[in-house]
Amino acid sequence: GAGVSQSPRYKVAKRGQDVALRCDPISGHVSLFWYQQALGQGPEFLTYFQNEAQLDKSGLPSDRFFAERPEGSVSTLKIQRTQQEDSAVYLCASSLATGNTEAFFGQGTRLTVV
Amino acid sequence: GENVEQHPSTLSVQEGDSAVIKCTYSDSASNYFPWYKQELGKRPQLIIDIRSNVGEKKDQRIAVTLNKTAKHFSLHITETQPEDSAVYFCAADNYGQNFVFGPGTRLSVLP
């Protein structure tokens, strides 16, 4: 595809349920980022991959959040035992090189925990 | 780590007028500053960016200025049009590995 693709676009989860959010970056892009965007706020950094290596996970809010990119392409963000405060839009972005290059965002996954 | 502040949080201008959004950052090591436009329900899209070795960059009606000494940068939109209405986010790179975003400015262009 031409851009970053995320699935599902919308997810409703019952509190306590586990969810998995998928990101397909632009082919050949080395860097991949996950951000969390609450309503009316700017994107908040969660984690960063360079190829398959997770170089920074300092933004993950708790050990219920886990991300992987095993083959350096598709990435999955997993949230275990979801809570209401996890409700947000989860944005994935990719960039061609490391650092200081344009990041292209996906449409995001809107997660609602009820 | 980096911290980015952005002002104003909301901005209303008449069609044809100019709009200016200002951001400050905390880490003098940051050297890449992108601006994103996000329409309601859509993905953020890059509209312009600037690197620290440049003081100003212009692309048609959009320009960005950077003052490294003062650690602030600004977005200037001239001849605003209704389709410029959106939320605008500034960002700064954080050790070249990710981006820290400002809280956003909601721009409304009134016809």
Side-chain angles (χ1 to χ4, degrees):
Chain A
V4 179
S5 177
Q6 292 186 245
S7 61
R9 287 291 314 280
Y10 306 92
K11 176 69 179 178
V12 178
K14 291 185 178 180
R15 192 172 49 176
Q17 187 179 354
D18 297 350
V19 298
L21 313 180
R22 178 187 169 106
C23 173
D24 280 90
I26 294 172
S27 178
H29 276 199
V30 168
S31 297
L32 185 145
F33 312 86
W34 283 99
Y35 284 85
Q36 180 190 61
Q37 187 174 29
L39 191 63
Q41 308 281 332
E44 295 281 344
F45 172 74
L46 294 177
T47 187
Y48 162 66
F49 290 87
Q50 182 179 319
N51 296 308
E52 69 278 4
Q54 188 175 22
L55 297 187
D56 188 347
K57 55 182 181 179
S58 62
L60 296 176
S62 78
D63 58 8
R64 296 185 296 104
F65 287 71
F66 172 77
E68 60 183 4
R69 193 187 185 198
E71 297 178 357
S73 178
V74 171
S75 177
T76 304
L77 176 67
K78 298 179 179 178
I79 309 174
Q80 297 177 324
R81 305 182 303 282
T82 52
Q83 300 177 5
Q84 283 191 319
E85 59 262 33
D86 299 335
S87 296
V89 174
Y90 290 84
L91 292 166
C92 175
S94 70
S95 65
L96 183 61
T98 60
N100 303 340
T101 56
E102 179 180 359
F104 296 84
F105 280 86
Q107 292 272 35
T109 294
R110 181 177 297 278
L111 173 65
T112 303
V113 182
V114 298
Chain B
E2 178 66 275
N3 182 54
V4 177
E5 296 185 354
Q6 182 173 350
H7 300 279
S9 57
T10 61
L11 178 60
S12 293
V13 299
Q14 290 294 134
E15 183 177 357
D17 287 351
S18 295
V20 180
I21 303 170
K22 299 181 179 181
C23 289
T24 60
Y25 61 99
S26 61
D27 191 346
S28 57
S30 294
N31 57 31
Y32 176 63
F33 307 92
W35 284 89
Y36 284 84
K37 174 183 180 182
Q38 187 174 32
E39 297 177 31
L40 190 62
K42 296 191 176 181
R43 73 186 77 195
Q45 293 199 301
L46 182 80
I47 55 171
I48 195 166
D49 56 13
I50 191 167
R51 299 183 188 280
S52 59
N53 58 346
V54 175
E56 182 174 359
K57 183 176 178 180
K58 190 173 182 180
D59 182 4
Q60 299 183 4
R61 297 186 297 109
I62 295 173
V64 57
T65 58
L66 171 65
N67 183 327
K68 278 198 68 179
T69 303
K71 290 188 283 188
H72 65 72
F73 56 114
S74 300
L75 178 71
H76 305 253
I77 306 174
T78 59
E79 301 171 25
T80 52
Q81 301 168 4
E83 53 264 38
D84 294 329
S85 296
V87 179
Y88 291 81
F89 295 100
C90 62
D93 77 281
N94 189 30
Y95 300 109
Q97 294 204 92
N98 63 70
F99 303 99
V100 177
F101 285 82
T105 296
R106 181 173 300 278
L107 174 65
S108 299
V109 179
L110 309 174

